[in-house]
Amino acid sequence: YITFRSAMAVLTALLVSLVLGPGMIRALRRFQIGQEIREEGPQSHHAKRGTPTMGGLLIILAVAVPTLLWADLTNVFVWLAVAGMVTFGAIGFLDDYLKIARRHNLGLTARRKFAAQTAVSLVFGVVLTAMASRGDFSTELTFPFFKAFTPDLGWFYVGLVVLVLTGSANAVNLTDGLDGLAIGSALVAAATFTVLAYAAGNAIVADYLGIANVKGSGELTVFCGAMVGASLGFLWFNSHPAEVFMGDVGSMALGGAIGTVALLIKQEFLLVVVGGLFVMEALSVILQVASFRLRGRRIFRMSPLHHHFELSGWDESKVVIRFWILAILFSLMALATLKLR
């Protein structure tokens, strides 16, 4: 049963993380793969300089191993989800590598990073649209609250894929700034998509809820379960004070994976609600930059949003836990829409 295999994926991913985590942290320290802190960041963060980074490699491994063990490897959706995680993780890996090699907190330029993300997203968009032309997928859109409104984008769906994947990857990346913040929020999103993937893959449940039934997408429940277990395991080491940071390799991989799953189960727009916290963080950066360029004034003390509350006097742990609460509220709102259609 998918439910049993998903539960085993959670446990396997957690076990992989807890067993391999200490050794990976020691190896990162040995090779002096430490975090560089931006000079304009909060002063309290400068004490974190040198903390091992690129721990996202552990997350990718902890997701991939259970998926290969417990998922149906003849299922194309499983491989697409793994590919989404690995390809975006590779972009993050390159960014982290350049930061470490240069001993500076700047890796890939924003233009090059976005170009790489766009190129990968275009490939996914073309693949999904080609699958739709063979009847193995659908380029129809589904919206929360409007189950009868399902416009078909056809080849324009490629553009939506680019928007969803680049947006998801960058939003999670921007959220990764405090100990445990990004991984805890990603855990909540992954748990939510575990439920959504199961519903989308079960014809009876999908019909009852009035959501799109995507044949074969139920196997993504196993992949999402693995993300939940890997997130729990990484949080063990990333909780305050963090022993290791995930780096861009982790945040990009998680963002790419979550965005890919949302596309595959036809919940592209519900992703905005599930990842509401990530959206808030990304919007805070966009608004801050736009306001400074247009008016010469800042809206927040510092962006992303979590830094604003830090500089407002909130303790780091308080910011993280309160943001986790917001992530859970967004998750519950997203699940509630399944019956409000």
Side-chain angles (χ1 to χ4, degrees):
Y1 293 106
I2 286 177
T3 49
F4 172 78
R5 291 187 286 116
S6 299
M8 292 305 297
V10 174
L11 294 174
T12 305
L14 178 58
L15 184 63
V16 169
S17 299
L18 295 180
V19 170
L20 299 183
M24 179 170 284
I25 293 172
R26 286 194 298 270
L28 292 172
R29 284 203 183 102
R30 187 181 308 120
F31 291 103
Q32 297 183 340
I33 300 177
Q35 179 71 35
E36 296 296 329
I37 306 296
R38 60 175 181 164
E39 293 301 324
E40 65 274 17
Q43 290 300 310
S44 60
H45 286 215
H46 288 273
K48 301 181 181 184
R49 178 176 277 110
T51 301
T53 187
M54 295 182 74
L57 293 171
L58 176 63
I59 299 173
I60 294 174
L61 184 64
V63 174
V65 170
T67 301
L68 296 176
L69 283 175
W70 297 106
D72 178 5
L73 299 185
T74 65
N75 186 294
V76 66
F77 293 120
V78 171
W79 288 109
L80 286 172
V82 172
M85 175 183 68
V86 171
T87 51
F88 276 90
I91 297 172
F93 178 87
L94 179 58
D95 192 34
D96 286 334
Y97 174 78
L98 291 175
K99 290 176 184 176
I100 294 165
R102 296 169 179 171
R103 296 294 177 186
H104 198 278
N105 70 303
L106 296 177
L108 286 171
T109 63
R111 182 174 298 179
R112 289 182 177 179
K113 187 186 298 184
F114 184 70
Q117 293 171 345
T118 302
V120 169
S121 301
L122 281 171
V123 173
F124 274 89
V126 171
V127 169
L128 291 178
T129 309
M131 287 173 59
S133 66
R134 300 197 308 267
D136 298 326
F137 191 66
S138 173
T139 52
E140 291 184 349
L141 302 182
T142 61
F143 295 86
F145 311 113
F146 303 99
K147 65 180 180 181
F149 183 54
T150 56
D152 193 338
L153 292 186
W155 279 96
F156 289 105
Y157 189 74
V158 175
L160 180 66
V161 172
V162 173
L163 180 63
V164 169
L165 291 182
T166 57
S168 180
N170 285 307
V172 176
N173 183 236
L174 290 171
T175 306
D176 182 29
L178 301 179
D179 296 353
L181 176 58
I183 195 64
S185 306
L187 191 160
V188 173
T192 307
F193 275 109
T194 302
V195 176
L196 295 173
Y198 179 80
N202 188 301
I204 297 174
V205 175
D207 180 66
Y208 172 72
L209 294 175
I211 62 175
N213 172 226
V214 184
K215 186 178 180 181
S217 65
E219 285 297 318
L220 292 173
T221 311
V222 179
F223 176 79
C224 291
M227 276 204 292
V228 170
S231 298
L232 277 171
F234 189 75
L235 185 58
W236 181 272
F237 305 105
N238 188 235
S239 57
H240 185 71
E243 299 173 57
V244 64
F245 298 140
M246 69 169 70
D248 282 9
V249 63
S251 58
M252 291 273 191
L254 287 170
I258 292 170
T260 303
V261 171
L263 288 164
L264 295 177
I265 65 173
K266 307 307 301 171
Q267 295 296 346
E268 304 94 337
F269 289 94
L270 195 60
L271 173 63
V272 178
V273 183
V274 176
L277 179 66
F278 302 132
V279 174
M280 284 173 48
E281 294 274 39
L283 281 178
S284 70
V285 174
I286 294 170
L287 292 173
Q288 183 87 321
V289 172
S291 176
F292 189 76
R293 289 183 177 178
L294 295 175
R295 305 188 306 153
R297 298 175 60 186
R298 293 179 173 86
I299 301 174
F300 307 103
R301 293 175 183 269
M302 184 178 289
S303 64
L305 191 60
H306 54 261
H307 288 323
H308 169 79
F309 288 105
E310 261 197 302
L311 295 179
S312 297
W314 290 19
D315 183 74
E316 179 173 345
S317 294
K318 180 165 287 189
V319 176
V320 171
I321 292 173
R322 286 179 173 176
F323 273 42
W324 283 353
I325 293 172
L326 285 177
I328 293 170
L329 290 175
F330 280 121
S331 171
L332 294 175
M333 288 169 55
L335 293 175
T337 66
L338 296 178
K339 285 301 293 175
L340 299 176
R341 291 171 183 259

